[in-house]
PDB file of all heavy atoms in Angstrom:
ATOM      1  N   GLU A  61       6.485   0.403  -7.448  1.00  0.00           N
ATOM      2  CA  GLU A  61       5.103  -0.160  -7.296  1.00  0.00           C
ATOM      3  C   GLU A  61       4.155   0.348  -8.385  1.00  0.00           C
ATOM      4  O   GLU A  61       4.424   1.361  -9.087  1.00  0.00           O
ATOM      5  CB  GLU A  61       4.589   0.285  -5.911  1.00  0.00           C
ATOM      6  CG  GLU A  61       4.642   1.752  -5.779  1.00  0.00           C
ATOM      7  CD  GLU A  61       4.085   2.184  -4.412  1.00  0.00           C
ATOM      8  OE1 GLU A  61       3.337   1.460  -3.835  1.00  0.00           O
ATOM      9  OE2 GLU A  61       4.320   3.310  -4.008  1.00  0.00           O
ATOM     10  N   LEU A  63       1.133   2.234  -9.073  1.00  0.00           N
ATOM     11  CA  LEU A  63       0.258   3.249  -8.306  1.00  0.00           C
ATOM     12  C   LEU A  63      -0.948   3.557  -9.150  1.00  0.00           C
ATOM     13  O   LEU A  63      -0.860   3.859 -10.324  1.00  0.00           O
ATOM     14  CB  LEU A  63       1.024   4.478  -8.042  1.00  0.00           C
ATOM     15  CG  LEU A  63       2.289   4.233  -7.223  1.00  0.00           C
ATOM     16  CD1 LEU A  63       3.121   5.528  -6.983  1.00  0.00           C
ATOM     17  CD2 LEU A  63       1.906   3.771  -5.757  1.00  0.00           C
ATOM     18  N   ASP A 115      -0.965  17.156   2.792  1.00  0.00           N
ATOM     19  CA  ASP A 115      -0.213  16.810   1.568  1.00  0.00           C
ATOM     20  C   ASP A 115       0.626  15.584   1.854  1.00  0.00           C
ATOM     21  O   ASP A 115       0.944  14.874   0.719  1.00  0.00           O
ATOM     22  CB  ASP A 115       0.528  18.029   1.035  1.00  0.00           C
ATOM     23  CG  ASP A 115      -0.355  19.048   0.515  1.00  0.00           C
ATOM     24  OD1 ASP A 115      -1.494  18.775   0.251  1.00  0.00           O
ATOM     25  OD2 ASP A 115       0.125  20.222   0.420  1.00  0.00           O
ATOM     26  N   ARG A 116       1.039  15.352   2.971  1.00  0.00           N
ATOM     27  CA  ARG A 116       2.002  14.226   3.224  1.00  0.00           C
ATOM     28  C   ARG A 116       1.241  12.921   3.612  1.00  0.00           C
ATOM     29  O   ARG A 116       1.785  11.864   3.528  1.00  0.00           O
ATOM     30  CB  ARG A 116       2.891  14.569   4.475  1.00  0.00           C
ATOM     31  CG  ARG A 116       3.888  15.665   4.217  1.00  0.00           C
ATOM     32  CD  ARG A 116       4.631  15.952   5.451  1.00  0.00           C
ATOM     33  NE  ARG A 116       5.525  14.813   5.765  1.00  0.00           N
ATOM     34  CZ  ARG A 116       6.462  14.753   6.795  1.00  0.00           C
ATOM     35  NH1 ARG A 116       6.527  15.889   7.537  1.00  0.00           N
ATOM     36  NH2 ARG A 116       7.195  13.705   6.877  1.00  0.00           N
ATOM     37  N   LEU A 317       5.775   8.582 -14.703  1.00  0.00           N
ATOM     38  CA  LEU A 317       4.232   8.768 -14.573  1.00  0.00           C
ATOM     39  C   LEU A 317       3.603   8.604 -15.960  1.00  0.00           C
ATOM     40  O   LEU A 317       4.232   8.868 -17.057  1.00  0.00           O
ATOM     41  CB  LEU A 317       3.981  10.279 -14.044  1.00  0.00           C
ATOM     42  CG  LEU A 317       4.454  10.553 -12.641  1.00  0.00           C
ATOM     43  CD1 LEU A 317       4.253  11.994 -12.395  1.00  0.00           C
ATOM     44  CD2 LEU A 317       3.903   9.664 -11.571  1.00  0.00           C
ATOM     45  N   ARG A 345      -2.217  16.040  -6.066  1.00  0.00           N
ATOM     46  CA  ARG A 345      -1.507  15.494  -4.811  1.00  0.00           C
ATOM     47  C   ARG A 345      -1.014  13.991  -5.086  1.00  0.00           C
ATOM     48  O   ARG A 345       0.107  13.647  -4.819  1.00  0.00           O
ATOM     49  CB  ARG A 345      -2.305  15.486  -3.517  1.00  0.00           C
ATOM     50  CG  ARG A 345      -1.691  14.970  -2.291  1.00  0.00           C
ATOM     51  CD  ARG A 345      -2.520  14.959  -1.140  1.00  0.00           C
ATOM     52  NE  ARG A 345      -3.076  16.257  -0.632  1.00  0.00           N
ATOM     53  CZ  ARG A 345      -4.329  16.618  -0.942  1.00  0.00           C
ATOM     54  NH1 ARG A 345      -5.264  15.765  -1.374  1.00  0.00           N
ATOM     55  NH2 ARG A 345      -4.748  17.831  -0.566  1.00  0.00           N
ATOM     56  N   ALA A 346      -1.866  13.229  -5.723  1.00  0.00           N
ATOM     57  CA  ALA A 346      -1.533  11.805  -6.043  1.00  0.00           C
ATOM     58  C   ALA A 346      -0.363  11.823  -7.028  1.00  0.00           C
ATOM     59  O   ALA A 346       0.600  10.955  -6.898  1.00  0.00           O
ATOM     60  CB  ALA A 346      -2.711  11.085  -6.614  1.00  0.00           C
ATOM     61  N   LEU A 347      -0.375  12.594  -8.051  1.00  0.00           N
ATOM     62  CA  LEU A 347       0.629  12.736  -8.981  1.00  0.00           C
ATOM     63  C   LEU A 347       2.027  13.074  -8.416  1.00  0.00           C
ATOM     64  O   LEU A 347       3.015  12.527  -8.668  1.00  0.00           O
ATOM     65  CB  LEU A 347       0.268  13.683 -10.115  1.00  0.00           C
ATOM     66  CG  LEU A 347      -0.658  13.231 -11.091  1.00  0.00           C
ATOM     67  CD1 LEU A 347      -1.131  14.381 -12.093  1.00  0.00           C
ATOM     68  CD2 LEU A 347      -0.249  11.968 -12.006  1.00  0.00           C
ATOM     69  N   GLU A 348       2.000  14.107  -7.555  1.00  0.00           N
ATOM     70  CA  GLU A 348       3.131  14.446  -6.895  1.00  0.00           C
ATOM     71  C   GLU A 348       3.741  13.414  -5.838  1.00  0.00           C
ATOM     72  O   GLU A 348       5.039  13.155  -5.930  1.00  0.00           O
ATOM     73  CB  GLU A 348       2.964  15.748  -5.979  1.00  0.00           C
ATOM     74  CG  GLU A 348       4.096  16.362  -5.313  1.00  0.00           C
ATOM     75  CD  GLU A 348       5.298  16.751  -6.218  1.00  0.00           C
ATOM     76  OE1 GLU A 348       5.023  16.934  -7.367  1.00  0.00           O
ATOM     77  OE2 GLU A 348       6.365  16.887  -5.775  1.00  0.00           O
ATOM     78  N   GLN A 349       2.899  12.767  -5.183  1.00  0.00           N
ATOM     79  CA  GLN A 349       3.434  11.706  -4.414  1.00  0.00           C
ATOM     80  C   GLN A 349       3.903  10.356  -5.161  1.00  0.00           C
ATOM     81  O   GLN A 349       4.862   9.859  -4.846  1.00  0.00           O
ATOM     82  CB  GLN A 349       2.172  11.152  -3.396  1.00  0.00           C
ATOM     83  CG  GLN A 349       1.863  12.157  -2.390  1.00  0.00           C
ATOM     84  CD  GLN A 349       0.875  11.525  -1.346  1.00  0.00           C
ATOM     85  OE1 GLN A 349       0.642  10.370  -1.311  1.00  0.00           O
ATOM     86  NE2 GLN A 349       0.239  12.420  -0.487  1.00  0.00           N
ATOM     87  N   ALA A 350       3.221  10.210  -6.364  1.00  0.00           N
ATOM     88  CA  ALA A 350       3.715   9.134  -7.177  1.00  0.00           C
ATOM     89  C   ALA A 350       5.110   9.490  -7.689  1.00  0.00           C
ATOM     90  O   ALA A 350       6.062   8.615  -7.811  1.00  0.00           O
ATOM     91  CB  ALA A 350       2.768   8.906  -8.343  1.00  0.00           C
ATOM     92  N   ARG A 351       5.311  10.667  -8.055  1.00  0.00           N
ATOM     93  CA  ARG A 351       6.621  11.165  -8.578  1.00  0.00           C
ATOM     94  C   ARG A 351       7.686  10.981  -7.412  1.00  0.00           C
ATOM     95  O   ARG A 351       8.793  10.446  -7.725  1.00  0.00           O
ATOM     96  CB  ARG A 351       6.530  12.624  -9.075  1.00  0.00           C
ATOM     97  CG  ARG A 351       7.844  13.125  -9.674  1.00  0.00           C
ATOM     98  CD  ARG A 351       7.793  14.478  -9.955  1.00  0.00           C
ATOM     99  NE  ARG A 351       7.599  15.340  -8.731  1.00  0.00           N
ATOM    100  CZ  ARG A 351       8.710  15.640  -7.860  1.00  0.00           C
ATOM    101  NH1 ARG A 351       9.973  15.338  -8.191  1.00  0.00           N
ATOM    102  NH2 ARG A 351       8.482  16.453  -6.820  1.00  0.00           N
ATOM    103  N   LEU A 352       7.387  11.397  -6.271  1.00  0.00           N
ATOM    104  CA  LEU A 352       8.377  11.208  -5.233  1.00  0.00           C
ATOM    105  C   LEU A 352       8.683   9.900  -4.744  1.00  0.00           C
ATOM    106  O   LEU A 352       9.751   9.491  -4.491  1.00  0.00           O
ATOM    107  CB  LEU A 352       7.755  12.010  -3.949  1.00  0.00           C
ATOM    108  CG  LEU A 352       7.695  13.592  -4.103  1.00  0.00           C
ATOM    109  CD1 LEU A 352       7.076  14.151  -2.825  1.00  0.00           C
ATOM    110  CD2 LEU A 352       9.069  14.151  -4.375  1.00  0.00           C
ATOM    111  N   ARG A 353       7.627   9.016  -4.852  1.00  0.00           N
ATOM    112  CA  ARG A 353       7.919   7.536  -4.598  1.00  0.00           C
ATOM    113  C   ARG A 353       8.763   6.894  -5.676  1.00  0.00           C
ATOM    114  O   ARG A 353       9.621   6.032  -5.309  1.00  0.00           O
ATOM    115  CB  ARG A 353       6.545   6.809  -4.457  1.00  0.00           C
ATOM    116  CG  ARG A 353       5.667   7.191  -3.195  1.00  0.00           C
ATOM    117  CD  ARG A 353       4.421   6.405  -3.162  1.00  0.00           C
ATOM    118  NE  ARG A 353       3.373   6.994  -2.307  1.00  0.00           N
ATOM    119  CZ  ARG A 353       2.269   6.404  -2.081  1.00  0.00           C
ATOM    120  NH1 ARG A 353       1.966   5.328  -2.628  1.00  0.00           N
ATOM    121  NH2 ARG A 353       1.417   7.058  -1.243  1.00  0.00           N
ATOM    122  N   LEU A 354       8.665   7.292  -6.853  1.00  0.00           N
ATOM    123  CA  LEU A 354       9.472   6.691  -7.835  1.00  0.00           C
ATOM    124  C   LEU A 354      10.929   7.099  -7.757  1.00  0.00           C
ATOM    125  O   LEU A 354      11.794   6.371  -7.990  1.00  0.00           O
ATOM    126  CB  LEU A 354       8.847   7.150  -9.327  1.00  0.00           C
ATOM    127  CG  LEU A 354       7.546   6.455  -9.753  1.00  0.00           C
ATOM    128  CD1 LEU A 354       7.255   7.115 -11.186  1.00  0.00           C
ATOM    129  CD2 LEU A 354       7.621   5.084  -9.799  1.00  0.00           C
ATOM    130  N   GLU A 355      11.026   8.439  -7.419  1.00  0.00           N
ATOM    131  CA  GLU A 355      12.407   8.952  -7.276  1.00  0.00           C
ATOM    132  C   GLU A 355      13.054   8.304  -6.097  1.00  0.00           C
ATOM    133  O   GLU A 355      14.184   8.049  -6.090  1.00  0.00           O
ATOM    134  CB  GLU A 355      12.385  10.401  -7.125  1.00  0.00           C
ATOM    135  CG  GLU A 355      11.982  11.224  -8.462  1.00  0.00           C
ATOM    136  CD  GLU A 355      11.923  12.704  -8.248  1.00  0.00           C
ATOM    137  OE1 GLU A 355      12.179  13.124  -7.132  1.00  0.00           O
ATOM    138  OE2 GLU A 355      11.665  13.392  -9.247  1.00  0.00           O
ATOM    139  N   GLY A 356      12.306   8.098  -4.876  1.00  0.00           N
ATOM    140  CA  GLY A 356      12.836   7.617  -3.691  1.00  0.00           C
ATOM    141  C   GLY A 356      12.947   6.115  -3.762  1.00  0.00           C
ATOM    142  O   GLY A 356      13.552   5.481  -2.868  1.00  0.00           O
ATOM    143  N   GLY A 357      12.073   5.453  -4.602  1.00  0.00           N
ATOM    144  CA  GLY A 357      12.095   4.014  -4.579  1.00  0.00           C
ATOM    145  C   GLY A 357      11.418   3.423  -3.415  1.00  0.00           C
ATOM    146  O   GLY A 357      11.684   2.276  -3.078  1.00  0.00           O
ATOM    147  N   GLN A 358      10.547   4.208  -2.826  1.00  0.00           N
ATOM    148  CA  GLN A 358       9.907   3.742  -1.522  1.00  0.00           C
ATOM    149  C   GLN A 358       8.523   3.200  -1.912  1.00  0.00           C
ATOM    150  O   GLN A 358       7.854   3.807  -2.763  1.00  0.00           O
ATOM    151  CB  GLN A 358       9.933   4.902  -0.540  1.00  0.00           C
ATOM    152  CG  GLN A 358      11.255   5.299  -0.078  1.00  0.00           C
ATOM    153  CD  GLN A 358      11.109   6.378   0.932  1.00  0.00           C
ATOM    154  OE1 GLN A 358      10.046   6.898   1.230  1.00  0.00           O
ATOM    155  NE2 GLN A 358      12.229   6.794   1.507  1.00  0.00           N
ATOM    156  N   LYS A 359       8.035   2.334  -1.038  1.00  0.00           N
ATOM    157  CA  LYS A 359       6.671   1.827  -1.402  1.00  0.00           C
ATOM    158  C   LYS A 359       5.727   2.126  -0.246  1.00  0.00           C
ATOM    159  O   LYS A 359       6.092   1.651   0.897  1.00  0.00           O
ATOM    160  CB  LYS A 359       6.741   0.204  -1.657  1.00  0.00           C
ATOM    161  CG  LYS A 359       5.397  -0.452  -1.944  1.00  0.00           C
ATOM    162  CD  LYS A 359       5.614  -1.845  -2.246  1.00  0.00           C
ATOM    163  CE  LYS A 359       4.248  -2.477  -2.697  1.00  0.00           C
ATOM    164  NZ  LYS A 359       4.397  -3.936  -3.079  1.00  0.00           N
TER     165      LYS A 359
END
Side-chain angles (χ1 to χ4, degrees):
E61 59 178 340
L63 300 175
D115 289 336
R116 296 181 62 180
L317 297 178
R345 183 184 296 110
L347 287 170
E348 180 63 18
Q349 290 188 14
R351 182 186 66 82
L352 294 176
R353 292 185 196 179
L354 289 180
E355 291 178 355
Q358 299 177 355
K359 185 175 183 180

